[in-house]
Amino acid sequence: MKKAAAVFLSMALLILLTACGRSEMKQQENTQADVRSESSENRASDTNVQDSAGQEPKADVEDGFIRVTGGTFQMGSPDAESWRSDDETQHTVTVSDFYMSPYEVTQAEYEAVTGNNPSNFTGSDLPVENISWLEAVSFCNAYSGEKGLEPVYSIDGENVSWNRSADGYRLPTEAEWEYACRAGTASPFYMENSPSAEEANYYGHYPYEIEANYFSQENLTVKPGEYRQTTVAVGSFSPNPLGLYDMHGNVGEWTWDIYGAYSTEEQTDPVGADSGTRRVYRGGGWNDFAKNMRSAYRAMMDQDKGSFNIGLRLVRNVAPGSGNVAGTDVQQGGSDARSSILIAYFSWGGNTRGIAEEIRNQTGADLFEITLVNPYSSDYNTVLDEAQRDQNEQARPELASHVENMDDYDTIILGYPNWWASIPMPTASFLEEYDFSGKTIIPFCSHGGGRFGQSLTAIAKLAPDSEMGEALSVHYSGGSGLPDDIAGWLEINGISGADTGQ
């Protein structure tokens, strides 16, 4: 009898332990999904203090957004910050309280609202990307409607105005985004050191300051790591001190602002330039070098274009603002077929030259090679050192070749190799030599895995009054599929042999 009781008790204990084990396993499976909502709600509760006016949102929405308490900070970067750009002039900015999503908008969330998924990489928990700024603001309005909130934006074609008193979802301003990313820090990144590939999703082979330490890396605080070549699930890494995930890397994030020079005066809740042609996105993406994920780095693109490394993150007001903000004089995107086309290119190893020649074969357009008075070395290791030196110094090497009749061309098809996630400095010399106002620049680049990097932003900054066509990235020389790839790309840009005037 005692033996039977012992057997019974043993079997009961075994069943109990098995059930507990299954429960624990089930809990572990749900942890990744639960942590998004539970931790967000806890953080939102922890930081849920009233603003100075004592006002609360007009609608109580359960969205897990984090309340970011406003304050004053130095927006931009100090002169001594490595790899800073001239458009990052430090200035004093005050932002009011606002709510921000801890996560980038996922493909599942975007598709549930819009019914489509334009992303280059596919996965329900991956961030949506390949959406234009116009599509981003349209999503904000649609999502607001679903939640019973007042839509923020009035959209008439490419003309968009922002009702600052509306309580719906919107894009952050540049100032709000940088303030939230920094989370009280003044360093290039919100973490103590630059992000490693285990802390952010980016081109992990190129951590911060690798350019000056490419051949001797003992001085690097963060060593090269994994390059995933894709987006990853939102929230895959630790958040910043405010509880916001992926502020550095994964995908860049659209902001409201039209790109323009910063004001040097103190500002409260600034909203960007009054007019211009391009919108700002922040944070860097899966294919960016660390230098272009800095808290102060500014990237931009035409508002009607999307990219495989740009998505969005939502915010909404804590208290109603006042007035309307409209971006005026924004040029209509897209390029028309032109009567006179120049193919201008810089090539070192020959890949870009081969692509340019194929474009010439298909269009009959004029071909121009950008060459130097003092050419770069033909040795691969040496030219790497020379290229990063020139880029670090933002040098403008003297050109040996010049376009004598630039005024005759309406469209410039501009080719270059992706060097250090940007354009080579000879290309910068070319862009600064001529006035591209009113012309269309259609970029193409050869690359080894980083696609465009931030080269399109670099071109746009150097030719701010030009229009930008759809760009083409070619892996090395492009292989046997290059002719078809170029033909399709030219068609997208409205160009064929009959349009060149040749």
Side-chain angles (χ1 to χ4, degrees):
M1 186 69 177
K2 291 181 179 180
K3 183 175 180 181
V7 170
F8 175 78
L9 289 173
S10 297
M11 291 180 64
L13 181 60
L14 179 61
I15 292 171
L16 178 62
L17 290 174
T18 301
C20 290
R22 287 175 179 170
S23 176
E24 183 178 354
M25 288 176 65
K26 184 65 175 178
Q27 183 177 4
Q28 289 175 343
E29 290 173 359
N30 292 335
T31 295
Q32 188 172 7
D34 291 345
V35 72
R36 290 183 54 185
S37 58
E38 290 180 5
S39 62
S40 298
E41 290 170 3
N42 290 339
R43 282 191 297 273
S45 175
D46 292 341
T47 57
N48 189 20
V49 295
Q50 289 188 340
D51 66 289
S52 58
Q55 296 173 294
E56 289 296 330
K58 289 188 291 185
D60 184 16
V61 178
E62 295 294 333
D63 55 18
F65 279 27
I66 293 172
R67 180 163 180 160
V68 179
T69 302
T72 301
F73 76 113
Q74 291 298 302
M75 186 174 179
S77 61
D79 292 342
E81 184 166 304
S82 180
W83 288 104
R84 77 181 298 274
S85 299
D86 291 340
D87 61 354
E88 299 171 13
T89 303
Q90 275 196 318
H91 57 298
T92 302
V93 170
T94 299
V95 296
S96 303
D97 292 10
F98 60 96
Y99 289 106
M100 176 174 264
S101 172
Y103 304 100
E104 296 161 336
V105 173
T106 66
Q107 293 175 28
E109 292 167 335
Y110 189 87
E111 188 169 5
V113 173
T114 66
N116 69 88
N117 182 6
S119 302
N120 183 68
F121 304 103
T122 304
S124 60
D125 57 354
L126 299 182
V128 68
E129 25 85 6
N130 207 30
I131 59 170
S132 69
W133 183 90
L134 289 170
E135 290 169 327
V137 295
S138 294
F139 171 80
C140 290
N141 275 3
Y143 193 45
S144 297
E146 285 200 355
K147 294 293 186 177
L149 301 174
E150 181 183 1
V152 166
Y153 302 114
S154 295
I155 305 172
D156 180 13
E158 291 206 4
N159 297 313
V160 180
S161 62
W162 164 22
N163 176 8
R164 299 188 74 170
S165 67
D167 64 346
Y169 295 101
R170 61 178 176 85
L171 301 178
T173 64
E174 261 202 282
E176 288 172 332
W177 190 95
E178 185 171 328
Y179 180 80
C181 178
R182 288 188 176 281
T185 66
S187 50
F189 307 90
Y190 67 73
M191 57 271 292
E192 181 179 359
N193 298 311
S194 60
S196 69
E198 287 72 44
E199 296 173 300
N201 182 32
Y202 70 105
Y203 205 142
H205 299 170
Y206 297 94
Y208 194 45
E209 299 187 322
I210 181 67
E211 292 84 359
N213 299 274
Y214 193 71
F215 298 109
S216 180
Q217 298 175 2
E218 62 269 13
N219 293 327
L220 281 176
T221 303
V222 174
K223 300 297 192 290
E226 181 182 4
Y227 176 32
R228 298 174 179 86
Q229 303 186 57
T230 181
T231 56
V232 298
V234 302
S236 293
F237 304 96
S238 297
N240 79 350
L242 294 182
L244 305 170
Y245 294 82
D246 301 312
M247 294 300 283
H248 297 308
N250 213 17
V251 290
E253 299 168 13
W254 284 116
T255 71
W256 160 262
D257 297 40
I258 293 174
Y259 177 80
Y262 285 149
S263 170
T264 57
E265 299 178 353
E266 287 193 25
Q267 293 181 297
T268 298
D269 294 328
V271 293
D274 293 333
S275 63
T277 62
R278 298 175 176 104
R279 300 282 178 169
V280 177
Y281 63 94
R282 292 295 207 106
W286 58 270
N287 65 326
D288 275 309
F289 287 21
K291 65 182 181 182
N292 294 331
M293 299 195 306
R294 293 176 298 109
S295 299
Y297 182 77
R298 309 174 71 198
M300 43 61 164
M301 182 176 288
D302 290 350
Q303 66 175 17
D304 65 340
K305 292 182 173 60
S307 178
F308 43 73
N309 64 344
I310 306 176
L312 77 158
R313 182 189 303 265
L314 301 179
V315 302
R316 60 187 180 95
N317 295 342
V318 163
S322 60
N324 287 291
V325 182
T328 59
D329 299 328
V330 177
Q331 296 178 7
Q332 299 297 309
S335 60
D336 299 321
R338 304 286 180 155
S339 60
S340 187
I341 298 174
L342 176 68
I343 305 165
Y345 71 93
F346 172 77
S347 184
W348 177 78
N351 289 330
T352 308
R353 179 180 296 109
I355 300 165
E357 290 173 348
E358 177 60 30
I359 297 170
R360 193 261 309 271
N361 291 340
Q362 294 195 27
T363 63
D366 291 341
L367 193 64
F368 173 79
E369 182 173 7
I370 301 168
T371 58
L372 300 179
V373 171
N374 298 305
Y376 288 129
S377 171
S378 59
D379 176 71
Y380 178 72
N381 288 342
T382 303
V383 77
L384 285 178
D385 184 61
E386 293 173 341
Q388 70 83 17
R389 175 204 66 205
D390 277 1
Q391 195 178 60
N392 192 27
E393 297 173 357
Q394 285 297 291
R396 297 294 186 263
E398 184 179 358
L399 303 184
S401 53
H402 306 275
V403 180
E404 302 299 336
N405 59 333
M406 182 61 81
D407 290 343
D408 294 343
Y409 297 103
D410 298 307
T411 297
I412 312 300
I413 300 179
L414 181 64
Y416 53 91
N418 175 348
W419 277 7
W420 301 105
S422 190
I423 57 174
M425 291 302 95
T427 307
S429 296
F430 173 81
L431 287 168
E432 288 189 345
E433 183 172 341
Y434 306 98
D435 180 7
F436 292 94
S437 300
K439 297 182 186 297
T440 296
I441 297 177
I442 304 177
F444 69 93
C445 78
S446 59
H447 68 94
R451 302 198 190 184
F452 299 115
Q454 284 295 335
S455 63
L456 303 183
T457 285
I459 293 169
K461 289 181 179 181
L462 290 169
D465 297 319
S466 66
E467 296 185 33
M468 292 277 280
E470 293 291 339
L472 173 70
S473 64
V474 177
H475 193 242
Y476 293 116
S477 63
S480 60
L482 181 66
D484 289 341
D485 291 341
I486 288 177
W489 168 62
L490 291 173
E491 182 177 357
I492 290 172
N493 282 287
I495 294 173
S496 66
D499 296 322
T500 65
Q502 306 303 317

